[in-house]
Amino acid sequence: MNRSQPQLFEVAPAPLPFEIAAEEDLLVAQVVFDRPLEEAYSYLVPEPLRELIATGGRVRVPFGRGNTPTTGFCVGLDHGTGGKRLKSVSEVLDRRPLLSSEMLDVTRWIADRYLCGWGQVLNAVVPAGVRKQAGTREITCYEAAPGVCERASELRLPAKQRAVLTSLCTAGRALAVDELSAAAACGASPIRALHDKGLIVPLRRRTAPEAVAEAVPEIAPDLQLNADQTRALDAILRLLREQQHATVLLHGVTGSGKTEVYIQAIREVVSYGRQAIVLVPEISLTPQTIRRFRSRFPSVAVLHSHLSDAERHTQWEQIAQGRVQVVVGARSAVFAPTPHLGLIVIDEEHENSFKQNSTPRYHAREVARERAQRENIPLILGSATPTLESLHRARQGDDVLLSLPSRVADRPLPPVVIVDTRNDPQIGMGHAIGRALQNAVQRALKAGGQVILFLNLRGYSPILWCPRCQSTVHCPECDISLTWHRDREQIVCHSCEYAAPRPRECPRCGMPGLRYLGTGTQRLEQEVRAKFAGHRALRMDSDAMRKPGSHDAALDAFRNKEADILLGTQMIAKGLDFPNVTLVGVVDADTLLQQPDIRAAERTFQLIAQVAGRTGRGDQGGRVLVQTSSPDDPVIRAAAQHDYLGFARAELQHRRELELPPFAHLARVILRATSDDVAQAEARRIATLMRETAEKVAPEVRLLGPAPCPILKLRGHYRYHFRMQASEVEPLQRLWRAVRPNLSPAPDVELTIDVDPLDMR
C-alpha cells in the first residue's frame, strides 16, 4: 500500500507559570470551554507563546478556583491595558488553527441560535480524532542553535559532528533524527555530542497523519439531462457564475435525477478550483453516494461516524489542505474545513438525522444555510418530500424552488395499492404478511424481479404481554416496552440498551406463558424465509448492520442479485437505486402515524413516499402495496396517490391553525431527575419563573406545560417538559438569556433546552 511521505508540524513548548500581572500592551487570549457558559475568559499570553498562539486553536490554561489545567479554544486575541492580574496560558496545543475565522463565526452563531456554550459547539465541531491527533506520533528533531551556522567554520569539531552540523545548516530546517543520521552518514552519538555542547537544539514534533494513496478511478462522462434537469441546472449555474448566495429547494420526485443535477453543478464548482460539501442522511447511503461521486471526480473525501479516529483525522487534514474536491458525509460534514468552499448540497433534506439530539442541538440544514450565506455560495436542498419548513420558505420567496416533476426517461411513478388488513385472515392469525402482499411477492419473484419489504420496527416482537393482568414487560430504567430479540435470546430496551434473559413468567403477577405481540424485522425475516422458501432474503437494520462496511456489503449483495428479498427498517427506505426491484411492500404503514408527535403525519407520508420510490426504476416497472388498518386516513391516501402537494396543502393549513412550525418556532425545555417528585416540582417552579420573566421581556412568547414527557422515565430518570413558542426565534432566545442566570435548578436535576426540536418524546 502506497503512503504519502509523513510531514512534520511543531508542538508547543512545555507549560509555563500561569499567574502573571498584566501590564500595558500585553497579549490577552479569549478562551472558551466545553461547558454551558456564555462568556469567554481572558488569559495572558506569555512572551514565548506569542508566536505560537492563534485564534481557532486549543490552549491549556488553569481554570476555576483550583486552577485545574483545562483545555479550551482560543477565540480571540487582543492587547491588555494593564492594572488587572490575569492567569496565563500554560501551553499552546495546536501550532496551526483547527478552525478558520469564518468557521469560528459560524460556531458563534450556532451557540447563539441553539442556546448553548460556544466551547460546547467547538468541541463538537472538531472531531475527537483531530483533537487527539490520531494516526500521528511524536518524534524528536534537531536544528542548529542561533548563530551557530554563521560561525560553523570556526568550530573545531570531529568529522562526524561537523557532518551533522553541516547537514543541518545546509537543510535550513529542523531534521528528524533518522533524517539527520542519513544525511550525515553517522549514528546517534555525534548528534548527542552536539546537543551536549549546545550547538544543536532539540524540538518535539509530531508526524502528520499518513494518507493512503487512493487508486485514481476512471472518470465517467456526464449523463444526458432531460429538459427539467437542464432548467434546474441552468438556474444553479447562473447563481454560481454570478457568485450569488441563494438556498435552492430542488423538489424532484423519486427517480427524477436529482443526483445528476448535483454532480454537474459540482463539476462547475470544481472547474473554478473550489470545493463542494454533499450531506447524506444515512450511513447506508454513504457508500452508494461515494461510488457515484468517485466515478465522476478524482478527489473525494468521506466523513461519517464509522471512520476510525485516525481515518477521520487523515480526511480532515486532506480537506483542510485543499487537496479534496468533494466532501461526502453525514450531518457533521457540514463543518468540513474546506478552504475554498463553492457549494453545499443536502440530499434527502427532509431526514430527521440532520438534527443533532445532543448538545449542541443544531440542525445541519440551518447551519449549512448560515455557512453558505456567510461564504456567499449557493445551498441546494434536494428531496422528493421536502420538509414543510423548506417548502414554506420557498413559497414565501425566501428560497428558490426548482422542480423535477417527472422521472428520468419518463418512467411512470409506480402504482400504489392500499391493502386493508382489518379483515385479512393471515393478519388475523398473527402473520405480518397478508394474503394480497404474499401473492404479489410470489408473482414478482416468479417474474425474476426483486422485492423490498419495509417495516420500521426492529427485533423479533416489540411487546411481551401477560393475558392475566393485561400488562406488558417494561424496561426497569425506561417507560418503554422491552423488545424480544430472538437472535440474542434477550429482551432489549431500544432506548437505553438494557438487556435481560427472556422472563419465564409475568414480572407483575407471576403467570407463566407470556405472549409475543407485534412483529419486528427479525420475525418478518423468519416469516419471509418460511413463505418464500428457495428465495434468498437479506435483512438490514441496526442489529444486522453493526460491523464496519456491513451496509456496503449488504447493498452490493442485493445490487448483484445475490438476494431476492431485501427487508428492513428505514435505512432501506430512501435514496437507494435498484433497477431490478419490481415490488415494494410496506408491511405496517400505521407505525409512525400513531405516534404522539406534531410531525407524525408528515413523517408517515415521507416514509411511504420514499420507500415507494425504490421501485419502478428499471424497464420492468414496479408496484407498491401498503398494508394498513387505517385505509381511509388522508395521509396514507395522499401518499398512495403520490400527491405531495395535496398533502402539504392540507397539513400546512392544519399547522397554521395550531400555530405550529413552519408558522412558529419552538423551544422545548426538559428537566430530568432520579426522583419523579423532584423533577415534577422543579418543572413547575421553572415554568412559573419563565412565565413571570416572559411578561417582562418577551410577552409574545407562549408557554405550554409543564407536563410529563411522552416517555416519562428514560435511562433511569423521570422527565418533564414544557414548550415555548413564538412566531420568530429571537423572542425565545431573549427570554432564555434573561431567565437563565436565575434558574438555579436543584443539584440532582438536569436541564436541557432544544431549539426547534424534532424529537418530542
Side-chain angles (χ1 to χ4, degrees), residues 275-288:
Q275 299 162 291
I277 295 174
V278 181
L279 303 186
V280 294
E282 287 281 351
I283 192 70
S284 61
L285 296 186
T286 308
Q288 173 180 273

Side-chain angles (χ1 to χ4, degrees), residues 454-482:
F454 168 71
L455 176 62
N456 207 34
L457 288 171
R458 62 189 179 97
Y460 187 85
S461 182
I463 297 174
L464 272 72
W465 178 73
C466 175
R468 176 194 283 174
C469 66
Q470 309 287 300
S471 66
T472 59
V473 180
H474 273 61
C475 173
E477 299 296 320
C478 305
D479 189 20
I480 295 175
S481 295
L482 290 168

